[in-house]
Amino acid sequence: REQELLLRYADHLRRGGAVVGRRIYRIGSARPLACDAFDETNNVLIEARATTDRNSIRLAVGQLLDYARFHHPRPILRVVLAREPGPDLVAYLTGLGIQMAYPDGGGFTMRTW
């Protein structure tokens, strides 16, 4: 479900003219890390989650913060979710300045702070 959500979102961005790909992060001899997607046009680092429970969103936030340190200038951070989370998790993302997007029928609703 997560991959399907991510593909739909990437297609949505591309229809708007964005160039969307992935970034690979190599850290010494450790296994490389990869973000879910990176919007090259708008400098947006993206992690997707098919569920909106606290642990899933916290994991996405941790990954975004980890990957963001390899980008200069620092990218916009965005979580793509299957649906809008509850108010507490919206407040969590808001407090961190992390954007979110979720499907709204024909496209995606963007929440920025």
Side-chain angles (χ1 to χ4, degrees):
R1 289 178 39 212
E2 190 172 292
Q3 184 67 18
E4 179 184 321
L5 175 66
L6 182 62
L7 291 173
R8 282 182 54 210
Y9 187 65
D11 286 344
H12 171 78
L13 293 176
R14 287 183 184 111
R15 281 192 303 274
V19 174
V20 181
R22 291 186 79 193
R23 291 280 178 98
I24 306 296
Y25 310 99
R26 300 190 194 291
I27 307 164
S29 61
R31 186 173 144 226
L33 303 172
C35 65
D36 283 346
F38 186 72
D39 175 346
E40 303 280 346
T41 305
N42 300 297
N43 193 35
V44 181
L45 185 55
I46 300 163
E47 281 296 315
R49 289 294 176 274
T51 59
T52 58
D53 63 275
R54 181 172 304 280
N55 286 338
S56 293
I57 292 175
R58 289 176 70 190
L59 180 60
V61 166
Q63 287 176 283
L64 287 169
L65 294 173
D66 190 9
Y67 304 151
R69 65 194 172 110
F70 298 106
H71 293 258
H72 302 284
R74 180 182 166 91
I76 296 166
L77 306 180
R78 185 176 299 154
V79 178
V80 177
L81 301 167
R83 63 182 175 78
E84 183 177 17
D88 182 58
L89 292 170
V90 170
Y92 172 61
L93 293 171
T94 301
L96 293 170
I98 296 176
Q99 300 177 353
M100 73 173 161
Y102 50 89
D104 64 6
F108 283 81
T109 293
M110 275 290 306
R111 300 273 305 266
T112 61
W113 336 109

